[in-house]
Amino acid sequence: MTDQSTDPTKLARRFGTPLYVYDLDRARAARRDLFAWLPEGFEVFYAFKANPHVDLVRALRTGEGPTCRAEISSTGELAAALEAGYRGHDILYTGPGKTPGELSEAVGQGVGTFSAESLSDLQHIGEAALAHRTVVDCLLRINSATASATTSIRMTGAPTQFGIDSETVAGLAPQLRSVPGTRLAGLHLFSQSNARDEDALIGELTHTIAVAAAIQEDLGVELRLLDIGGGFSVPYAQQGGRDAYPKLRDELAAALDVHFPRWREGTPRLAVESGRYLAGDSGTLVTRVTNVKVSRGKKFVIADAGINTFGGMSGLGRLMPVTVHVPTDAETEKASLVGPLCTPGDVLGRQIELPANLRPGDLLAIPNTGAYGPTSSLLMFLGRPAPVEVAVSGGRVVSATRIEHARTPVERGPR
Ligand SMILES: *Cc1c(COP(=O)(O)O)cnc(C)c1O
């Protein structure tokens, strides 16, 4: 596809709204920066959950410098990874509810590494591997009893569906080491998302390294791969840039020197994982104003993008109000930005700063929406079409597509 412009509002006039634009060059710039913040030799898994768009995940796999591997958690994400050219050995399969059907498909497609969330999950992975007459590498996901910092989304230290409680590993070690069809390859810890600041990130990741060293002792197996998680941060639908981590490299190296003195020789190999940092600032959401009204003295700007298009997780209290790009020296006013759905929950921002005197037809651009966009929204709710997603690179449109839902007959389901 060739075109004159990759400016989001021009693309919105061409392709319609609501519309996401993903700048693949920005995603690659984020990847380059993330590798630069890390000690040499680290691997980076891209968490497809943040945005499984095939052109985006392909961009993260290809290009100059070190490239990403894939962290996936469903057959849909597996299909996107394979379509984008990831090979089985690039892929880490994770998730607390892996079904026999999806495990069989993943093993059959050659996925090389699985993260096991419990002894029984490990056994299920082993059964799938044996059925394919193979043995797969497994990381044990650990739910650490301790944490060093408080972060916005905590996944460890409390009872959860994620990971094996760290205090039980020693007792389970003989069983964990001997599940047919599996080879214990290492550990996977993911204790935070979207860390508040660099010190919080460093505190948690260095703590994770110490926990992993203790678990290695408990297990009595030398780790080949240690995935210490992530927490790399970027504003979500707010103005601003990706966070910087100038101290991270040295702090991680120092912690590794203490706990894994042979890490520089690759024992173990080290990895982090990230979704939002890699994808977030590549995306812009353009929405069109469909109506403006005043109710009891308050202004409501009704847009064609609601929680069916963006931020469907707002129901979980995880969505900040969005900000809208306002041209410098444009006049602004406070109004609520709401979507088209027939629910009072369809709010992108209550009494936020918007350009003054918006009218039907006007376009609004919401920045930093490349992660947790369409696929984490309520796409089906109220039956509107999914947004158009346009990938651009080098000033060219690479693709313009939309997810289609269709009801189809089912004869029999997967297990
Ligand atoms: C969600 C998730 C990620 C990605 O989190 P971001 O905050 O987008 O970087 C990485 N790893 C695991 C296990 C996750 O569940």
Side-chain angles (χ1 to χ4, degrees):
M1 231 183 283
T2 55
D3 187 53
Q4 319 73 7
S5 176
T6 53
D7 172 69
T9 51
K10 291 200 178 119
L11 290 170
R13 289 200 185 90
R14 178 171 166 205
F15 292 109
T17 56
L19 173 115
Y20 280 89
V21 181
Y22 307 126
D23 183 338
L24 306 182
D25 303 328
R26 291 185 73 118
R28 286 214 178 107
R31 178 184 70 189
R32 184 198 58 215
D33 288 351
L34 182 52
F35 274 107
W37 302 130
L38 295 166
E40 192 131 0
F42 260 69
E43 299 171 17
V44 172
F45 285 101
Y46 172 61
F48 274 42
K49 179 179 69 182
N51 187 341
H53 190 289
V54 69
D55 291 321
L56 181 78
V57 301
R58 186 185 289 111
L60 291 171
R61 184 184 68 77
T62 56
E64 304 267 297
T67 58
C68 293
R69 303 174 76 196
E71 179 182 335
I72 62 166
S73 176
S74 68
T75 46
E77 291 182 351
L78 175 60
L82 295 172
E83 188 184 343
Y86 291 83
R87 296 282 161 255
H89 61 257
D90 301 323
I91 300 176
L92 171 62
Y93 203 106
T94 69
K98 307 176 196 80
T99 64
E102 65 179 301
L103 283 172
S104 175
E105 182 167 343
V107 173
Q109 293 288 355
V111 170
T113 312
F114 290 80
S115 172
E117 310 260 0
S118 59
L119 175 59
S120 45
D121 191 32
L122 187 64
Q123 287 161 343
H124 296 159
I125 297 165
E127 283 158 21
L130 288 181
H132 287 266
R133 299 175 194 286
T134 186
V135 177
V136 295
D137 279 339
C138 288
L139 308 182
L140 299 181
R141 180 151 175 194
I142 303 298
N143 176 4
S144 173
T146 57
S148 78
T150 35
T151 51
S152 53
I153 301 179
R154 295 221 52 83
M155 294 202 184
T156 57
T160 78
Q161 67 268 52
F162 299 109
I164 301 170
D165 295 341
S166 56
E167 63 277 19
T168 68
V169 170
L172 289 172
Q175 287 164 281
L176 293 167
R177 282 197 305 253
S178 58
V179 174
T182 70
R183 215 170 12 231
L184 265 199
L187 300 178
H188 174 204
L189 293 96
F190 182 77
S191 62
Q192 65 183 340
S193 192
N194 216 8
R196 291 188 322 275
D197 56 38
E198 184 176 27
D199 290 336
L201 184 84
I202 288 172
E204 193 66 33
L205 293 181
T206 53
H207 178 73
T208 293
I209 289 167
V211 169
I215 300 273
Q216 175 174 251
E217 287 287 303
D218 289 344
L219 269 179
V221 171
E222 186 168 67
L223 307 183
R224 284 186 284 126
L225 176 61
L226 172 57
D227 178 346
I228 60 172
F232 308 98
S233 180
V234 64
Y236 185 44
Q238 300 280 315
Q239 310 287 348
R242 283 182 275 112
D243 281 13
Y245 304 106
K247 295 183 284 186
L248 181 64
R249 192 186 235 276
D250 290 347
E251 298 275 351
L252 285 183
L256 288 164
D257 285 338
V258 171
H259 295 288
F260 293 95
R262 293 171 55 219
W263 73 278
R264 290 173 199 272
E265 298 138 47
T267 308
R269 285 162 36 222
L270 288 146
V272 295
E273 44 195 35
S274 172
R276 71 184 69 230
Y277 186 87
L278 292 165
D281 83 344
S282 74
T284 305
L285 168 60
V286 185
T287 178
R288 190 181 293 277
V289 175
T290 51
N291 208 355
V292 179
K293 64 176 278 191
V294 175
S295 169
R296 306 222 158 97
K298 298 262 194 251
K299 193 174 250 196
F300 288 81
V301 173
I302 302 156
D304 62 5
I307 57 174
N308 55 333
T309 302
F310 178 76
M313 300 208 290
S314 56
L316 307 175
R318 296 245 174 100
L319 181 65
M320 312 294 188
V322 304
T323 58
V324 161
H325 176 74
V326 180
T328 28
D329 45 81
E331 234 188 286
T332 65
E333 64 181 354
K334 286 232 161 51
S336 289
L337 182 63
V338 304
L341 306 185
C342 303
T343 162
D346 192 14
V347 178
L348 295 185
R350 253 178 253 285
Q351 296 296 302
I352 60 175
E353 211 67 47
L354 293 176
N357 306 316
L358 284 170
R359 290 198 317 229
D362 288 348
L363 295 175
L364 298 171
I366 302 174
N368 290 322
T369 46
Y372 304 107
T375 59
S376 61
S377 300
L378 302 177
L379 275 180
M380 301 280 289
F381 194 36
L382 279 139
R384 285 169 184 269
V388 181
E389 298 173 84
V390 179
V392 304
S393 174
R396 280 185 53 242
V397 171
V398 174
S399 66
T401 57
R402 93 158 24 105
I403 295 170
E404 287 289 350
H405 305 291
R407 188 177 294 280
T408 52
V410 175
E411 296 298 328
R412 40 177 302 192
R415 277 190 296 160

